[in-house]
């Protein structure tokens, strides 16, 4: 039974020759190899693009407790271990001052009463060298290191919560819709299946957001906009965004009324809708929404549209705050 482990790094292989870097396979060790594009055990890469490294392991049928460890270091002598169960691993790899790093891979599993593993000899090490300087950027053309939302986009992308929009772009300043946000929330919940019917007449059967909206409506996370409609393709406002995540926190049992703090420091807090005031107060208290500083003061802009980079930031803060 062959398992494949992929690591997506934020870089692109410039060379085209394909070779195998093999692990030794002796005695109780697992036959395996790492597949990479390389030259003399070194890969040259360039910023803003990506390379996929795959490790293949022939794991016996019936094997249990399979665990993979990606060993990552700026030098071969300083390995740091990253664990992932069931042969799944996506990691962010640091570079040293020269823009190089090294990796290798190790797998263990239990067969009967015995544990077997792949070796981690030095010859299985691969060095990658970045062409450029600084920290490798996301491979989205419109998301750069230094953007205030860079790590937020990185988080939602690698946690499979938000995708790009195509053509190598994330569109950080594009608006988000109500259907999109509920779909992201559904992904955070693990995309549970629902047998109930969607209560909203404007949510088409088979649409990408149908299951998510059905789930959210069933558990009271969304209420719709009236007349049995949800308006899934309408842009979502900041107060609607806060209200949906507020109800989701209640659903998960994470709500604490002590978190509801409207400080009075926002120039437009009187513009928050009555139905959204508690949710906005909570979102401020748990630091999901910080407001926007202008020359005239600090603004919540509750009826303003939430753009994609803001959505990524709020989702990232939410997950970090509740340690999701």
């Amino acid at each position: 039974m062959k398992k494949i482990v992929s690591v997506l790094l934020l870089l692109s292989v410039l060379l085209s020759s394909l070779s195998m870097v093999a692990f030794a396979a002796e005695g109780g060790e697992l036959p395996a190899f790492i597949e990479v594009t390389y030259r003399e055990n070194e890969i040259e890469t360039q910023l803003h693009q990506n390379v996929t490294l795959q490790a293949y392991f022939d794991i016996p049928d019936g094997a249990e407790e399979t665990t993979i460890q990606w060993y990552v270091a700026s030098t071969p002598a300083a390995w740091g271990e990253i664990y992932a169960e069931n042969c799944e691993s996506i990691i962010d790899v640091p570079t040293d001052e020269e823009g190089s790093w090294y990796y290798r891979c190790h797998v263990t599993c239990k067969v009967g009463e015995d544990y077997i593993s792949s070796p981690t000899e030095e010859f299985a090490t691969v060095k990658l060298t970045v062409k450029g300087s600084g920290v490798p950027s996301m491979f989205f053309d419109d998301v750069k290191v230094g953007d205030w939302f860079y790590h937020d986009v990185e988080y939602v992308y690698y946690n499979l919560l938000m995708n790009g929009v195509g053509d190598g772009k994330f569109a950080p300043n594009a608006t988000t819709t109500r259907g999109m946000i509920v779909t992201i929330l559904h992904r955070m919940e693990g995309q549970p299946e629902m047998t109930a019917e969607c209560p909203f007449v404007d949510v088409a059967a088979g649409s990408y957001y149908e299951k998510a909206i059905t789930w959210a409506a069933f558990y009271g996370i969304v209420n719709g906009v009236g007349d049995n409609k949800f308006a899934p393709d309408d842009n979502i406002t900041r107060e609607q965004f806060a209200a949906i995540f507020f109800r989701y926190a209640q659903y998960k049992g994470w709500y604490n009324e002590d978190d509801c703090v409207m400080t009075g420091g926002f120039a437009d807090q009187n513009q928050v809708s009555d139905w959204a005031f508690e949710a906005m107060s909570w979102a401020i208290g748990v630091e999901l929404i910080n407001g926007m500083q202008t020359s005239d003061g600090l603004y919540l802009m509750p009826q303003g549209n939430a753009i994609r980079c803001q959505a990524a930031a709020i989702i990232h803060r939410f997950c970090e705050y509740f340690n999701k």
Side-chain angles (χ1 to χ4, degrees), residues 58-125:
D58 290 321
I59 298 176
D61 292 333
E64 300 176 341
E65 301 179 21
T66 301
T67 301
I68 181 166
Q69 300 160 256
W70 282 101
Y71 288 71
V72 179
S74 59
T75 62
W79 296 107
E81 300 178 16
I82 298 177
Y83 293 87
E85 299 296 327
N86 300 321
C87 289
E88 296 179 358
S89 181
I90 299 178
I91 61 177
D92 184 17
V93 182
T95 63
D96 62 17
E97 293 180 357
E98 296 180 353
S100 299
W101 67 91
Y102 305 79
Y103 80 92
R104 69 185 181 209
C105 188
H106 181 62
V107 167
T108 61
C109 65
K110 184 178 181 182
V111 180
E113 297 300 319
D114 299 322
Y115 284 88
I116 58 177
S117 63
S118 62
T120 54
E121 283 80 359
E122 286 298 322
F123 69 81
T125 301

Side-chain angles (χ1 to χ4, degrees), residues 177-181 183 187 204 206-212 232-233:
T177 67
R178 290 166 53 82
M180 289 177 185
I181 295 304
T183 298
R187 290 171 184 162
S207 57
Y208 80 87
Y209 42 60
E210 179 196 8
K211 292 182 179 179
D233 298 317

Side-chain angles (χ1 to χ4, degrees), residues 35 68 158 241 257 272 302:
E35 181 180 79
I68 181 166
Y158 282 109
F241 199 127
E257 65 180 358
V272 177

Side-chain angles (χ1 to χ4, degrees), residues 15 17 19 36-44 126-127:
L15 307 177
S17 60
S19 296
V36 293
T37 303
Y38 80 106
R39 181 184 62 195
E40 295 180 355
N41 217 32
E42 181 172 325
I43 303 175
E44 291 187 353
V126 174
K127 177 183 178 182

